[in-house]
Amino acid sequence: MLPIKAVVVIALTVCLTASTFAAYPHCCRRYMIGRLQDSIIKGYSVQTDTEMCRINAIIFHTKKGKACADPALKWVMDAVDRIRNKAQKIHQRSSQGRKKKTI
Amino acid sequence: MPRSCIIALVILVLTCAGSAAGFIIHRHTFIYSAEDLISNQSYTTKMSNQSYTTDMSNQSYSPKMSEDENNYNGSDNLDYDGFCLFHNNQSVVDVIGPYVHSIICILGLVGNSLVIVTYAFYKRTKSMTDIYLFNVAIADLLFVLALPFIVYNELWSWPMGQVACKLLRGSYSVNLYSGLLLLACISTDRYIAIVQARRSFRLRSLSYSRIICAIIWIFAILVSVPTFYFYDWYEPSHTNSIMMNDDNQSEILSSEYVCEFKFKDRDTAMAVKVAVPSTQISVGFFLPLFIMIFCYSAIIDTLLKAKNLQRHRAVRVVLVVVAVFIICHLPYNIVLLYDTVTMFQQRSCEEADMLEMAKTVLQTIAYMHCCLNPVLYAFVGVNFRNHFRRIFRDLWCLGKKYMSPRRFSRVTSDFYMSSTRRSMDGSSNSGASFTM
């Protein structure tokens, strides 16, 4: 009866530690209506349909939460480009600063 | 055999009625979502036209948008703009995940290991059905053993890594297919034994059943190859976000691993995401269902014609076996079918949440079937119960004698002798495989 004991132990440990689960990474299931203002977009992530999710989407992070946008729309990719360009500038600035320091 | 046809028809009609009811329930939400989508599309095109024709300046759309935004937040403040958090499903998973599944796991483990032990040590003479039942018990046991690991990993962002991911998902699939197809084999064997009794001596040999079992296990493995191949352990790309915090750019890398589908290109992704659940519905449910309905309706027909005192009990057992199979698997497969058909459609968060919750609950009901199999197939049989009683008697005797360690060696040989003798005795009255 050893396996039964083992399962009881496993089940008990699972039950006892059940209160703090890791958040499951959810997917966008539909695209948002309308468009977001640039000022409230804090960042973005990319959802692809070659992974666990069913549709391609750009997830914009805002103060209020996450919004799912259709990557086929122009404003969505413009917003993504803007964030990317901003990041690029910061990257160049910081790498220049580092060069100066090393010189 | 007209009467068997009528019975088969009745069961089929009942099944269809059940599925129709399922679809009617869903039709309401489907119509809602379709209307919703159309209105959304027209709205988005209107919006984009507006914004693109009047230059790309912020002022052109900001007043209208702020109004729209307020409306949107008012109506839906939990799931913001299409990113569903599945609150209802999550609360159901939190309960079913650890608690209900551990009950299923313990019951399934006890029941199926008792069946395996009984067949391995006691029931020497085996019929075809016995061999199938032994294999069903093995499939169910492996399934039940994998279940706590799958639940544990899904709750804790899959800490056990790539090998465990492929093995657990793959073995889940293999055991699902082999278990359900073996139940169909049992119904076929009983059909041959009862309805085609004249041919049964030729068709029901043990070597046949071993070959059939091997074929079914190989088939189950082959059908599960896509699952083995395409399930992967990875961090989904959408968990990595690029954030802008007041002119500071930072990439937030989370460590949320999942064990889900992953593909190289889009076409395979589309094909496999539909093909895997479709195969599960057709081969893992409808194929065994139709075989069972055909065989058992013919069996009931034959039993009702026969002049036997035990026939009512046999008919009842057959009906219970079919009913339990349908109750456990039909609802889940209907929801799975609906989910597969509407796989790539956009869904409102409420609908997606409801569908996920239904899938979670109904899948658990389908899991329960592997705890019920030992009761429905093995413990119903009189012979099996006799063998099973002997196990307990022998274990009890062994336990008592085990207390005095001096006589241990003699006791074991005694125990072995007695068990073999008893199983020889038992062989005399185990002619029929359809023991009830």
Side-chain angles (χ1 to χ4, degrees):
Chain A
M1 295 290 122
L2 192 71
I4 296 167
K5 255 186 199 169
V7 165
V8 169
V9 169
I10 289 172
L12 277 178
T13 46
V14 169
C15 288
L16 290 174
T17 52
S19 47
T20 50
F21 301 132
Y24 194 75
H26 294 301
C27 294
C28 287
R29 300 299 292 268
R30 72 186 284 178
Y31 301 126
M32 60 173 291
I33 307 156
R35 56 188 281 188
L36 294 169
Q37 281 175 312
D38 297 338
S39 52
I40 68 162
I41 298 175
K42 297 284 166 208
Y44 74 94
S45 40
V46 181
Q47 171 182 315
T48 64
D49 61 3
T50 55
E51 289 185 356
M52 58 184 284
C53 303
R54 294 174 179 187
I55 55 172
N56 283 323
I58 302 292
I59 305 170
F60 285 122
H61 301 256
T62 69
K63 269 180 195 166
K64 289 165 198 156
K66 294 171 180 179
C68 300
D70 187 353
L73 297 177
K74 193 171 179 296
W75 74 265
V76 176
M77 296 323 287
D78 286 345
V80 168
D81 283 340
R82 206 165 38 247
I83 297 170
R84 217 184 271 152
N85 288 339
K86 223 172 178 179
Q88 192 64 36
K89 273 180 203 158
I90 290 161
H91 172 72
Q92 281 167 357
R93 216 183 293 153
S94 59
S95 58
Q96 278 169 2
R98 213 168 280 167
K99 268 180 198 167
K100 275 177 191 169
K101 270 181 196 170
T102 48
I103 290 164
Chain B
M1 25 179 211
R3 221 199 302 175
S4 70
C5 293
I6 292 165
I7 296 166
L9 257 173
V10 166
I11 296 174
L12 260 178
V13 165
L14 282 177
T15 320
C16 294
S19 40
F23 278 119
I24 288 164
I25 292 163
H26 279 300
R27 208 178 57 181
H28 171 70
T29 50
F30 179 70
I31 289 168
Y32 160 76
S33 71
E35 274 171 3
D36 209 34
L37 269 181
I38 290 162
S39 64
N40 287 351
Q41 266 171 359
S42 61
Y43 188 59
T44 10
T45 45
K46 200 177 76 192
M47 280 312 298
S48 55
N49 283 345
Q50 208 176 45
S51 55
Y52 291 131
T53 47
T54 59
D55 213 302
M56 285 299 288
S57 63
N58 289 350
Q59 280 152 352
S60 66
Y61 63 86
S62 54
K64 206 173 172 74
M65 271 322 294
S66 61
E67 186 192 307
D68 180 64
E69 219 172 84
N70 287 337
N71 282 343
Y72 206 80
N73 286 338
S75 66
D76 195 1
N77 53 2
L78 289 173
D79 298 313
Y80 181 64
D81 273 343
F83 190 82
C84 311
L85 295 171
F86 297 98
H87 297 284
N88 291 329
N89 183 47
Q90 202 57 49
S91 49
V92 169
V93 166
D94 287 353
V95 176
I96 283 181
Y99 302 107
V100 180
H101 281 144
S102 42
I103 293 168
I104 290 177
C105 182
I106 290 166
L107 288 180
L109 203 84
V110 172
N112 288 298
S113 38
L114 283 177
V115 171
I116 290 172
V117 166
T118 309
Y119 275 123
F121 297 111
Y122 282 78
K123 215 164 186 293
R124 295 283 155 168
T125 50
K126 293 183 179 81
S127 69
M128 258 177 123
T129 294
D130 290 336
I131 288 170
Y132 293 142
L133 274 179
F134 183 67
N135 279 276
V136 169
I138 287 173
D140 284 347
L141 189 73
L142 290 175
F143 183 89
V144 158
L145 282 177
L147 195 60
F149 291 102
I150 292 176
V151 170
Y152 165 77
N153 278 303
E154 283 191 338
L155 290 174
W156 295 94
S157 68
W158 215 272
M160 286 173 81
Q162 170 82 341
V163 179
C165 166
K166 295 232 178 213
L167 269 182
L168 287 173
R169 295 285 192 206
S171 73
Y172 169 87
S173 175
V174 170
N175 296 320
L176 181 129
Y177 284 114
S178 56
L180 294 175
L181 291 173
L182 283 164
L183 292 184
C185 285
I186 290 173
S187 74
T188 319
D189 182 54
R190 287 171 168 177
Y191 170 79
I192 293 169
I194 291 171
V195 182
Q196 309 283 337
R198 279 181 204 163
R199 291 184 215 166
S200 72
F201 287 105
R202 194 157 46 83
L203 289 172
R204 298 178 69 224
S205 79
L206 293 184
S207 54
Y208 271 151
S209 66
R210 292 210 176 90
I211 292 166
I212 291 170
C213 282
I215 289 170
I216 280 175
W217 281 103
I218 290 165
F219 179 75
I221 289 168
L222 284 180
V223 173
S224 308
V225 162
T227 310
F228 272 114
Y229 186 76
F230 289 113
Y231 265 98
D232 230 321
W233 183 67
Y234 63 94
E235 280 178 288
S237 66
H238 68 280
T239 58
N240 296 336
S241 30
I242 293 154
M243 301 294 282
M244 302 293 305
N245 300 323
D246 306 324
D247 288 329
N248 269 325
Q249 182 262 345
S250 61
E251 199 170 348
I252 295 174
L253 289 165
S254 59
S255 56
E256 281 171 5
Y257 277 91
V258 293
C259 174
E260 297 279 351
F261 280 133
K262 187 173 177 138
F263 305 94
K264 296 234 160 48
D265 63 301
R266 197 150 183 257
D267 293 334
T268 3
M270 299 286 143
V272 175
K273 275 181 186 175
V274 174
V276 167
S278 308
T279 321
Q280 195 189 320
I281 294 163
S282 54
V283 180
F285 175 66
F286 279 107
L287 181 68
L289 178 72
F290 287 136
I291 294 173
M292 281 170 90
I293 285 175
F294 171 76
C295 293
Y296 283 133
S297 47
I299 286 171
I300 287 175
D301 184 49
T302 313
L303 285 175
L304 288 178
K305 275 186 214 152
K307 296 278 177 288
N308 189 336
L309 287 172
Q310 292 249 297
R311 67 177 191 175
H312 285 296
R313 182 174 148 75
V315 169
R316 233 182 304 152
V317 169
V318 165
L319 285 178
V320 168
V321 162
V322 176
V324 166
F325 182 84
I326 289 173
I327 289 167
C328 286
H329 292 281
L330 183 71
Y332 176 61
N333 279 278
I334 288 169
V335 173
L336 197 63
L337 184 67
Y338 174 75
D339 191 41
T340 311
V341 168
T342 60
M343 169 91 61
F344 303 113
Q345 284 177 13
Q346 292 192 42
R347 277 205 191 113
S348 68
C349 278
E350 295 81 38
E351 199 204 341
D353 192 11
M354 225 177 72
L355 200 65
E356 284 303 312
M357 198 172 72
K359 264 168 78 178
T360 312
V361 172
L362 297 175
Q363 192 178 39
T364 309
I365 293 172
Y367 287 166
M368 277 179 197
H369 197 232
C370 60
C371 313
L372 298 175
N373 278 335
V375 180
L376 287 176
Y377 287 89
F379 291 106
V380 161
V382 175
N383 274 337
F384 190 89
R385 276 208 302 269
N386 289 340
H387 287 293
F388 181 67
R389 255 184 231 122
R390 277 184 202 132
I391 288 188
F392 265 89
R393 214 164 49 202
D394 287 345
L395 275 178
W396 178 246
C397 295
L398 192 70
K400 271 204 292 192
K401 287 173 185 172
Y402 192 71
M403 295 303 162
S404 51
R406 270 185 303 137
R407 293 170 58 199
F408 180 68
S409 59
R410 235 187 76 196
V411 169
T412 43
S413 62
D414 253 338
F415 163 68
Y416 183 72
M417 289 276 284
S418 67
S419 71
T420 44
R421 200 177 57 235
R422 272 166 194 155
S423 63
M424 294 280 275
D425 292 343
S427 69
S428 58
N429 60 349
S430 66
S433 75
F434 198 48
T435 47
M436 290 189 179

